[in-house]
Amino acid sequence: MTAFFQSLGMSHDWAWFVSTICGILLIALPLMLAVAMIIYVDRKIWAAMALRRGPNVVGPFGLLQSFADGLKVFLQETIVPSAANKGIFLIAPVVTFTVALMAWAVIPFNSGAILANINVGLLYILAISSLGVYGTIMAGWASNSKYPFFSAMRASAQMISYEVSIGFIIVCVVLWADTFNLNQIVIAQKGHVLGIFNGFVFNPLLFPMWVMFLISSLAETQRAPFDLTEAESELVAGYQTEYSSMAFAAYWLGEYANVLLMCALNTTLFFGGWLPPLDIPVLYLVPGFIWFLLKVGFFFFVFSWVKATVPRYRYDQLMRLGWKIFLPTSLLFVVLVSGYLMLTRYS
Amino acid sequence: MIHIIAFYLFAVMTVGSGAITILSRNPVHSVLWLILAFFNAAGLMVLAGAEFIAMLLVIVYVGAVAVLFLFVVMMLDIDFAELRAGFVRYFPLGALVAVVLLAEMVLGIGAYHAGGIQLGTPSGTASTAAGVSNTAAIGALLYSRYLFLFEAAGIILLVAMIGAIVLTHRQRGDTRGQKISKQNARRPDEATVNVKPEVGKGVTL
């Protein structure tokens, strides 16, 4: 895109600047639209699994429900509790929302369609997702109320625990792909198994890693069955209890943008990103962007499915799963994968 | 052009938030400003071409260390006025630490300029060879030339971790812990009984 703006007569620096701004808008605006639609889809799937109709009043099939909700929230009064720490209370939703958008910079949507094609893309994702916890902690502390505070404590412990195993799972993928660059990781998956299956998930050594990654990504985004930070039976609405109006909406949007990001990461790391599932020339006629969207949509369906069917974990079970099962298993697989690669690739 | 703007932005933010970390009255605010300082330091690292270190700085310090730090500080009920009361008493010690740090920095930079230190590449320059990514260069150096130092650091950290667990872990006889395997092994027929009590008679369990 830089070359296009340069052809309009701009200097290289300015062309780069303008094309980056355009790239950010091209990702962020459709993402917001996607989040609005995905909230609707989530509610519809959830309703269908509970044999209900779900939202069906606003617009055809209730398609405009999210926009109506957005408008309602926008028109509400912003309430700042008098005992709250005002600065941090107001910054916290901004942090959550910004961080949820930032990570999308390194996601490859198609061959070369990536905003920042950096060498350390995967590390960048880890870094940004570790920032996500601050929005929750700051909200919980600044609200000066006990339920948000409990929720913030839970959220931080939960996210730190599962980031450890996510880190080890990512190490396995990086060892196999030999790069941290997400675009290169996708390319490394081309014809990965038997020369026909595109994706690390078809690899017997990496398949257990994907299962753990999916469960960890549920925990990382605080979706059911790991939604202990918003366990309404115990904590009212968790860290967002004191929030109203647009601040509340920012949490809502940020949360779903994070869910979509985790779906995109599942797609990129294990399901071959923008590559078609099988390495057959006919399938390459479909643009890579479509394959990417289809896979992300599939993973979002899995997320909703889990939410509709699985009961909530107890907190000690959550911690046990993270530290006593996922951590040793993922560590074992790092050894197995590196051992296998030493035997086959580097000997 | 944009490099210069970015450098001054990150540098000013790092120094400024570092200063506010010390001056802030509320310990939670201090930690949050410290996190901002870490983040901007990572930005400076990126500008210096050390993107791997920058990402690690954010992952390790911002993502893990500072969260735990914040965790502890939030739980504490610190009276900051009381902390400030000892300012005069602790000033000589603080000044001594500052002098030592300053001397170390001056000596380090001096030695680096004199060419006495070989950092990264054999020529002593911090930049890596063209075509080799930052991550690969660090990995190659860490697992060849500094292998034993690297492993020694790992062992020291492991010992520290085990030591912390041993020191804080205590066995209490009066608690009823959960045994997950026992819970999972329990079946309905051994946990429930079906009784048909006659009218006027209770059930003995």
Side-chain angles (χ1 to χ4, degrees), chain B residues 34-136:
Chain B
L34 183 68
I35 291 161
L36 189 64
F38 280 149
F39 203 66
N40 283 292
L44 284 175
M45 298 270 192
V46 171
L47 286 184
E51 71 266 14
F52 184 72
I53 301 289
M55 291 307 148
L56 281 199
L57 184 72
V58 176
I59 293 171
V60 175
Y61 283 93
V62 179
V65 175
V67 172
L68 294 179
F69 214 54
L70 200 59
F71 215 84
V72 172
V73 168
M74 278 178 178
M75 298 289 211
L76 297 176
D77 190 17
I78 303 175
D79 186 0
F80 240 49
E82 200 179 302
L83 279 181
R84 263 158 212 274
F87 183 74
V88 178
R89 220 179 100 210
Y90 293 117
F91 183 74
L93 191 66
L96 189 68
V97 172
V99 167
V100 169
L101 282 178
L102 187 69
E104 280 181 353
M105 268 170 75
V106 168
L107 283 177
I109 294 169
Y112 179 63
H113 274 291
I117 304 173
Q118 289 197 338
L119 288 171
T121 53
S123 63
T125 50
S127 63
T128 52
V132 179
S133 84
N134 220 295
T135 320

Side-chain angles (χ1 to χ4, degrees), chain A residues 16-17 85 88 119-120 123-124 126-127 130-131 133-134 137-138 141 149 153 156 160 180 314 316 320, chain B residues 2 26 28-29 32 35 39 51-52 55 58-59 62-63 66-67 70-71 74-75 133 135 178 180 183:
Chain A
W16 176 84
F17 183 73
N85 195 315
I88 297 181
N119 279 332
V120 288
L123 284 177
Y124 173 82
L126 267 184
S130 67
L131 281 179
V133 69
Y134 284 108
I137 299 189
M138 282 157 76
W141 181 78
F149 191 66
M153 293 287 116
S156 46
I160 290 175
F180 276 110
R314 226 167 45 213
D316 64 303
R320 178 176 165 271
Chain B
I2 201 152
N26 190 328
V28 174
H29 290 186
L32 291 174
I35 291 161
F39 203 66
E51 71 266 14
F52 184 72
M55 291 307 148
V58 176
I59 293 171
V62 179
V67 172
L70 200 59
F71 215 84
M74 278 178 178
M75 298 289 211
S133 84
T135 320
Q178 298 191 24
I180 303 289
Q183 288 181 358

Side-chain angles (χ1 to χ4, degrees), chain A residues 297-331:
Chain A
F298 168 73
F299 275 110
F300 187 77
F301 175 72
V302 172
F303 270 54
S304 299
W305 187 7
V306 170
K307 182 182 172 181
T309 46
V310 182
R312 186 178 292 135
Y313 257 51
R314 226 167 45 213
Y315 201 71
D316 64 303
Q317 291 172 329
L318 174 85
M319 283 294 143
R320 178 176 165 271
L321 185 70
W323 289 107
K324 290 190 174 173
I325 297 176
F326 278 8
L327 181 59
T329 318
S330 55
L331 203 52

Side-chain angles (χ1 to χ4, degrees), chain A residues 92-139:
Chain A
V94 179
V95 169
T96 303
F97 188 62
T98 316
V99 163
L101 291 184
M102 268 167 82
W104 285 90
V106 293
I107 297 286
F109 294 95
N110 198 349
S111 172
I114 177 169
L115 180 63
N117 198 359
I118 54 177
N119 279 332
V120 288
L122 207 45
L123 284 177
Y124 173 82
I125 296 244
L126 267 184
I128 296 301
S129 70
S130 67
L131 281 179
V133 69
Y134 284 108
T136 314
I137 299 189
M138 282 157 76

Side-chain angles (χ1 to χ4, degrees), chain A residues 126-330:
Chain A
L126 267 184
I128 296 301
S129 70
S130 67
L131 281 179
V133 69
Y134 284 108
T136 314
I137 299 189
M138 282 157 76
W141 181 78
S143 297
N144 209 350
S145 158
K146 62 184 161 201
Y147 296 122
F149 191 66
F150 286 148
S151 166
M153 293 287 116
R154 283 184 175 190
S156 46
Q158 179 176 338
M159 288 178 80
I160 290 175
S161 308
Y162 280 85
E163 253 157 37
V164 177
S165 58
I166 284 186
F168 280 124
I169 293 164
I170 282 177
V171 166
C172 291
V173 173
V174 167
L175 280 172
W176 217 295
D178 211 13
T179 174
F180 276 110
N181 183 315
L182 284 166
N183 206 31
Q184 300 288 331
I185 286 175
V186 171
I187 291 167
Q189 295 178 47
K190 192 175 179 208
H192 179 63
V193 177
L194 303 173
I196 187 161
F197 294 106
N198 294 335
F200 283 144
V201 70
F202 301 109
N203 182 330
L205 262 179
L206 290 176
F207 177 74
M209 292 289 93
W210 168 66
V211 174
M212 283 167 56
F213 189 76
L214 182 68
I215 298 172
S216 297
S217 49
L218 284 171
E220 183 76 6
T221 49
Q222 289 148 23
R223 285 279 290 192
F226 305 109
D227 56 345
L228 286 137
T229 54
E230 301 161 33
E232 54 283 275
S233 51
E234 303 151 29
L235 296 179
V236 193
Y239 56 91
Q240 339 169 321
T241 305
E242 305 292 339
Y243 280 90
S244 61
S245 183
M246 281 314 280
F248 179 75
Y251 272 114
W252 213 26
L253 295 174
E255 205 176 288
Y256 274 91
N258 268 328
V259 169
L260 276 183
L261 176 75
M262 277 299 171
C263 297
L265 270 187
N266 267 299
T267 306
T268 312
L269 295 182
F270 290 98
F271 276 76
W274 38 265
L275 290 170
L278 297 174
D279 197 20
I280 301 171
V282 179
L283 293 178
Y284 285 94
L285 293 177
V286 181
F289 184 65
I290 305 287
W291 284 118
F292 181 80
L293 281 190
L294 279 177
K295 289 172 183 176
V296 170
F298 168 73
F299 275 110
F300 187 77
F301 175 72
V302 172
F303 270 54
S304 299
W305 187 7
V306 170
K307 182 182 172 181
T309 46
V310 182
R312 186 178 292 135
Y313 257 51
R314 226 167 45 213
Y315 201 71
D316 64 303
Q317 291 172 329
L318 174 85
M319 283 294 143
R320 178 176 165 271
L321 185 70
W323 289 107
K324 290 190 174 173
I325 297 176
F326 278 8
L327 181 59
T329 318
S330 55

Side-chain angles (χ1 to χ4, degrees), chain B residues 19-34:
Chain B
I20 303 173
T21 306
I22 305 170
L23 297 174
S24 165
R25 287 185 162 271
N26 190 328
V28 174
H29 290 186
S30 280
V31 177
L32 291 174
W33 284 108
L34 183 68

Side-chain angles (χ1 to χ4, degrees), chain A residues 26-70:
Chain A
L26 265 178
I27 292 175
L29 295 181
L31 182 66
M32 284 298 93
L33 192 67
V35 164
M37 290 326 290
I38 221 92
I39 291 172
Y40 163 78
V41 169
D42 195 24
R43 294 175 66 178
K44 272 289 190 195
I45 293 173
W46 205 10
M49 293 205 185
L51 296 180
R52 291 183 286 111
R53 282 179 189 280
N56 63 350
V57 175
V58 190
F61 307 108
L63 271 169
L64 300 176
Q65 179 67 42
S66 296
F67 300 100
D69 283 345

